[in-house]
């Protein structure tokens, strides 16, 4: 089954592993004070609705309009495939068919400290389609699920997590892979930055700019629903990792953050969870406000 997404965001700047890989190749990540050269690690964004952002935050796009200060990226086609396996696993396959690359810009908390580093939003109109697809799993009452919420006022997001110690994670994730390989815009962006930074282009073919789950990686998927003005608007899925911690030598000293996994070369995007966990979490959050 394949669903249309409202939006897809993969925050690769949250990965110290990718930052270290680019630094070792000679890129100035994210900014070199002496030369003024910048190589922000791109956020991959695909949004069904057009996005308006500061022009200096837009790193690369196939199509956009700009007045010099702001850029307008037209609507794109984010998708997500879903597969059920015979062993009861659910494989989510995010597909950025159209996308653009953004700089995170200034944030008060560095992305390497964040728990969530990839998020996917499904229009709530697909709720029945999704529950029909999950079928028998929706009838199971998964034990050990708890609820948490964030937001206030007009928009409140409620998500489920499994196990009292997993509030920052969600339901267990058994495998994932996400990466910049196979993305034409990312390839063009890095070639431009390589020329700007004096990095030999042949080094690009050896870079590992994908991430996959290690055995020791604590990973989870927050399955939630966002309510706006008291009505459900989106099903939200957020991939998070918390441990182990990782240290790298940045341009201006040691950096420590949350590991995002093992570096790999991959153009295959997927996240693996137990179908029962996913269905149970979805059922629990849907009943929050009756």
């Amino acid at each position: 089954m394949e669903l249309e997404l409202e939006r897809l965001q993969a925050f690769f700047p949250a990965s110290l592993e990718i930052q270290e890989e680019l630094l070792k190749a000679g890129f100035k990540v994210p900014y070199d004070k002496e030369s003024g050269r910048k190589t922000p690690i791109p956020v991959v964004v695909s949004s069904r609705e057009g996005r308006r952002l500061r022009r200096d935050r837009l790193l690369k796009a196939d199509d956009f309009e700009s007045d010099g200060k702001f850029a307008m990226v037209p609507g794109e086609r984010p998708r997500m495939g879903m597969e059920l396996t015979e062993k009861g696993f659910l494989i989510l396959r995010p597909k950025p068919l159209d996308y653009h690359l953004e700089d995170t810009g200034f944030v008060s908390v560095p992305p390497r400290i964040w728990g969530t580093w990839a998020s996917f939003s499904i229009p709530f109109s697909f709720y029945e389609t999704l529950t029909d697809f999950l079928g028998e799993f929706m009838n199971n009452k998964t034990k050990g699920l708890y609820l948490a919420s964030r937001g206030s006022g007009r928009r409140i997001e409620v998500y489920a997590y499994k196990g009292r110690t997993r509030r920052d994670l969600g339901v267990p994730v058994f495998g994932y892979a996400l990466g910049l390989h196979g993305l034409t815009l990312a390839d063009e962006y890095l070639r431009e930055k390589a020329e700007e930074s004096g990095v030999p282009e042949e080094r690009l073919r050896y870079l590992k700019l994908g991430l996959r789950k290690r055995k020791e990686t604590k990973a989870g998927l927050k399955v939630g629903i966002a309510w706006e003005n008291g009505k459900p608007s989106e099903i939200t899925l957020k991939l998070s990792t918390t441990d182990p911690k990782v240290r790298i030598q940045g341009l201006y000293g040691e950096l420590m953050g949350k590991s995002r996994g093992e570096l790999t070369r991959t153009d295959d995007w997927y996240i693996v969870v137990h179908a029962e966990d996913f269905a149970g979490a979805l059922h629990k959050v849907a009943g929050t406000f009756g």
Side-chain angles (χ1 to χ4, degrees):
M1 181 181 74
E2 186 169 292
L3 296 176
E4 181 180 87
L5 296 181
E6 194 68 42
R7 83 200 136 260
L8 170 160
Q9 296 175 295
F11 292 89
F12 293 107
S15 169
L16 287 179
E17 294 90 348
I18 288 180
Q19 182 170 340
E20 185 175 49
E21 181 81 345
L22 290 171
L23 285 169
K24 286 180 177 178
F27 290 93
K28 305 301 182 182
V29 183
Y31 177 70
D32 179 41
K33 297 176 183 176
E34 294 182 5
S35 66
R37 292 172 179 164
K38 295 191 258 185
T39 308
I41 299 172
V43 182
V44 177
V45 180
S46 184
S47 176
R48 190 170 68 161
E49 290 189 0
R51 279 175 69 87
R52 184 174 182 267
L53 65 159
R54 293 197 317 270
R55 178 62 187 91
D56 59 357
R57 281 193 55 198
L58 181 62
L59 298 178
K60 201 79 175 170
D62 280 325
D63 183 24
F64 69 95
E65 295 181 357
S66 175
D67 62 5
K69 186 175 182 180
F70 292 95
M72 182 68 190
V73 180
E76 296 156 326
R77 295 182 300 154
R79 299 287 190 273
M80 178 176 283
M82 294 189 174
E83 303 171 19
L84 288 169
T85 73
E86 293 181 356
K87 294 185 177 181
F89 288 98
L90 174 65
I91 304 175
L92 309 175
R93 296 191 181 278
K95 300 177 181 180
L97 301 180
D98 299 318
Y99 62 93
H100 62 278
L101 307 180
E102 295 184 12
D103 183 359
T104 51
F106 175 80
V107 289
S108 58
V109 179
R112 58 189 166 84
I113 305 298
W114 299 352
T116 295
W117 60 276
S119 63
F120 315 96
S121 173
I122 303 170
F124 189 76
S125 57
F126 284 100
Y127 178 79
E128 288 190 8
T129 302
L130 186 52
T131 56
D132 287 345
F133 172 73
L134 292 168
E136 62 182 286
F137 296 105
M138 291 301 297
N139 297 322
N140 293 329
K141 292 186 178 179
T142 307
K143 295 180 180 180
L145 286 173
Y146 303 90
L147 293 176
S149 63
R150 55 181 297 172
S152 60
R154 295 173 56 188
R155 181 182 171 94
I156 297 175
E157 183 179 331
V158 180
Y159 68 90
Y161 60 98
K162 188 176 182 181
R164 292 188 180 276
T165 63
R166 295 180 60 86
R167 184 186 178 96
D168 295 333
L169 287 169
V171 300
V173 166
F174 296 90
Y176 61 76
L178 298 171
L180 294 169
H181 298 286
L183 300 178
T184 302
L185 291 181
D187 182 63
E188 293 175 1
Y189 170 76
L190 288 171
R191 289 181 186 279
E192 291 172 4
K193 289 297 178 181
E195 182 177 356
E196 181 183 308
S197 302
V199 175
E201 189 173 309
E202 58 266 23
R203 288 185 191 172
L204 297 178
R205 73 182 69 175
Y206 302 109
L207 290 176
K208 294 180 180 180
L209 301 177
L211 298 160
R212 65 184 176 194
K213 186 182 181 302
R214 287 191 176 105
K215 184 178 181 180
E216 63 270 24
T217 306
K218 289 187 178 179
L221 185 71
K222 296 176 183 175
V223 179
I225 292 179
W227 272 264
E228 295 187 26
N229 297 319
K231 296 181 179 180
S233 59
E234 297 174 352
I235 298 167
T236 57
L237 309 175
K238 297 184 176 182
L239 177 65
S240 299
T241 57
T242 56
D243 288 296
K245 300 297 186 290
V246 62
R247 297 173 185 267
I248 70 164
Q249 188 62 37
L251 285 176
Y252 302 104
E254 186 179 73
L255 299 173
M256 185 176 76
K258 296 175 180 177
S259 172
R260 306 306 176 185
E262 179 184 5
L263 286 174
T264 185
R265 291 187 60 88
T266 181
D267 58 6
D268 188 17
W269 286 31
Y270 64 82
I271 302 167
V272 182
V273 295
H274 270 146
E276 181 180 332
D277 288 344
F278 186 95
L282 185 61
H283 181 267
K284 194 169 183 71
V285 295
T288 305
F289 295 115

